[in-house]
């Protein structure tokens, strides 16, 4: 039975991005065009790898499914897909709480410094807290501070077992550049992480800082199209110690309001430039992946 499940998982992972894009194109074509957009933007969910300053209205509850794929290392075959299910609530004005659990699949063969493995495991849980400090309607831009804390038993990169803890700190800015037509967003990111691996007993500490920019255009009342550009620098130690590598990701993002209560976001990024410490290569495939993709479906209840 275990081998059968593994075969299905690996087969699904090898389907690739073409199937995902085809499914989304069909959804966009078949969904009703009569869904009307509210005045202005709600930036809570329109971005793929980034976040906006909106946090929802008091009393809102949402169920969200987020699928993230990471593909390609320096050599061999590398595919890692995580599936996170989250529940979001807005108990107070300008304050949002999100609790989630994640399952990961890994298909790794012949990648330097990472053991070969094909597996499906429950990875861990996360708690995401967001507080909006400024509203776009009453300030030059929207501003939200977000902290997402996670505790894992599986390393998201290598798939190795252990204990992993980390927190993602984000400052999210956004502003309507053309009212009800173009929105821009900026994220400033700091991600300290600590890990202890089960087999080797080794402990590792790392930290990542980054800046990301996104722009979205309202193509139709229920359809936004744009792109995201994200730059990261990774260091050893949680206090930005020795430099390990850097990478720049760019790619398109699409947001579709399926109905009054449901939504879909699709984002894909390619590493356009990067460099690991001590390397002259134009990509950092040691600390980062070649491609990243994300599919998010959410529904209010």
């Amino acid at each position: 039975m275990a081998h059968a499940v593994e075969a299905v998982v690996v087969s699904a992972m090898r389907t690739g991005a073409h199937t995902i894009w085809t499914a989304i194109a069909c959804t966009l074509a078949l969904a009703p065009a009569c869904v009307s957009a509210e005045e202005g933007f709600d930036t809570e969910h329109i971005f793929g790898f980034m976040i906006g300053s909106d946090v929802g209205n008091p009393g809102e509850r949402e169920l969200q499914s987020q699928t993230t794929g990471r593909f390609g290392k320096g050599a061999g075959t590398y595919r890692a897909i995580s599936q996170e299910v989250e529940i979001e609530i807005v108990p107070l004005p300008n304050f949002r709480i999100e609790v989630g659990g994640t399952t990961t699949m890994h298909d790794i063969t012949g990648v330097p410094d990472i053991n070969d493995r094909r597996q499906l495991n429950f990875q861990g849980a996360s708690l995401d807290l967001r507080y909006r400090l400024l509203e776009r309607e009453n300030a030059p831009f929207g501003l939200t501070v977000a902290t997402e804390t996670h505790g894992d038993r599986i390393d998201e990169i290598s798939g190795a077992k252990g204990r992993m803890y980390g927190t993602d700190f984000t400052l999210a800015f956004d502003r309507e550049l053309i009212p009800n037509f173009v929105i821009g967003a900026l994220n400033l990111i700091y991600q300290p992480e600590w890990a202890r691996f089960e087999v080797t007993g080794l402990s590792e500490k790392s930290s990542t800082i980054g800046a990301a920019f996104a722009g979205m255009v309202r193509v139709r009342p229920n359809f936004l199209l744009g792109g995201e550009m994200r730059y990261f620098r990774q260091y050893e130690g949680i206090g930005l110690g020795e430099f390990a590598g850097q990478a720049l990701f760019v790619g398109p993002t699409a947001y579709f309001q399926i109905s009054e209560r449901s939504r879909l976001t699709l984002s894909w990024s390619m590493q356009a430039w990067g460099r690991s410490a001590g390397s002259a290569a134009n990509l950092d495939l040691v600390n980062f992946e070649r491609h990243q993709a994300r599919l998010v479906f959410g529904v209010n209840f």
Side-chain angles (χ1 to χ4, degrees):
M1 180 64 179
H3 293 291
V5 172
E6 179 180 294
V8 171
V9 168
V10 173
S11 176
M13 294 172 68
R14 289 179 175 174
T15 302
H18 295 292
T19 301
I20 297 176
W21 279 103
T22 300
I24 300 308
C26 292
T27 301
L28 294 175
L30 296 175
C34 60
V35 180
S36 60
E38 295 181 0
E39 189 71 23
F41 290 90
D42 182 352
T43 63
E44 185 179 6
H45 300 294
I46 65 174
F47 305 110
F49 292 96
M50 297 172 55
I51 64 174
S53 70
D54 292 330
V55 296
N57 299 317
E60 283 188 354
R61 298 175 299 173
E62 293 183 282
L63 178 65
Q64 178 170 286
S65 169
Q66 178 173 284
T67 306
T68 303
R70 300 182 302 277
F71 309 97
K73 285 288 189 180
T77 299
Y78 181 84
R79 302 182 181 96
I81 296 179
S82 64
Q83 176 62 56
E84 184 173 11
V85 177
E86 305 158 321
I87 295 178
E88 305 171 2
I89 61 173
V90 185
L92 299 169
N94 299 314
F95 180 60
R96 198 194 83 170
I97 301 174
E98 175 183 295
V99 179
T102 303
T103 300
T104 57
M105 300 179 289
H106 289 86
D107 179 15
I108 305 173
T109 306
V111 177
D113 301 321
I114 301 180
N115 292 334
D116 293 355
R117 67 181 80 243
R118 292 181 178 178
Q119 64 183 31
L120 170 65
N121 282 303
F122 175 73
Q123 178 180 330
S126 63
L127 174 65
D128 185 351
L129 305 176
R130 300 186 192 180
Y131 184 74
R132 182 169 59 183
L133 299 172
L134 297 175
E135 296 185 43
R136 289 189 307 277
E137 293 78 5
N138 305 317
F141 50 81
L143 171 60
T144 288
V145 57
T147 62
E148 181 178 1
T149 301
H150 58 88
D152 302 321
R153 55 184 295 273
I154 300 294
D155 180 56
E156 68 173 1
I157 303 299
S158 67
K161 292 184 178 180
R163 290 181 295 163
M164 296 82 188
Y165 305 99
T167 301
D168 298 349
F169 298 96
T170 304
L171 282 177
F173 304 82
D174 55 31
R175 177 184 172 88
E176 289 194 37
L177 304 179
I178 301 178
N180 204 32
F181 184 63
V182 179
I183 186 88
L186 171 68
N187 285 184
L188 301 178
I189 303 158
Y190 170 55
Q191 302 169 328
E193 294 186 340
W194 175 86
R196 182 178 180 85
F197 296 96
E198 185 177 287
V199 174
T200 63
L202 296 176
S203 295
E204 294 182 1
K205 294 180 181 179
S206 64
S207 53
T208 303
I209 59 172
F213 173 78
M216 300 289 285
V217 177
R218 191 185 299 281
V219 179
R220 297 174 60 189
N222 57 347
F223 179 46
L224 306 180
L225 185 63
E228 299 181 18
M229 180 171 63
R230 300 173 295 136
Y231 173 70
F232 298 101
R233 293 177 64 89
Q234 186 164 315
Y235 298 84
E236 296 181 6
I238 61 174
L240 305 179
E242 184 177 350
F243 173 73
Q246 58 186 326
L248 175 69
F249 288 89
V250 294
T253 297
Y255 172 83
F256 189 69
Q257 189 73 35
I258 301 174
S259 70
E260 221 176 280
R261 291 182 174 270
S262 59
R263 54 182 167 76
L264 187 69
T265 307
L266 175 67
S267 189
W268 170 75
S269 287
M270 176 183 69
Q271 188 180 153
W273 178 85
R275 183 164 296 174
S276 60
S279 172
N282 291 326
L283 297 175
D284 181 357
L285 298 177
V286 176
N287 302 290
F288 305 94
E289 298 80 33
R290 185 71 174 90
H291 299 277
Q292 298 177 349
R294 176 166 290 176
L295 176 67
V296 184
F297 174 77
V299 60
N300 289 18
F301 63 94

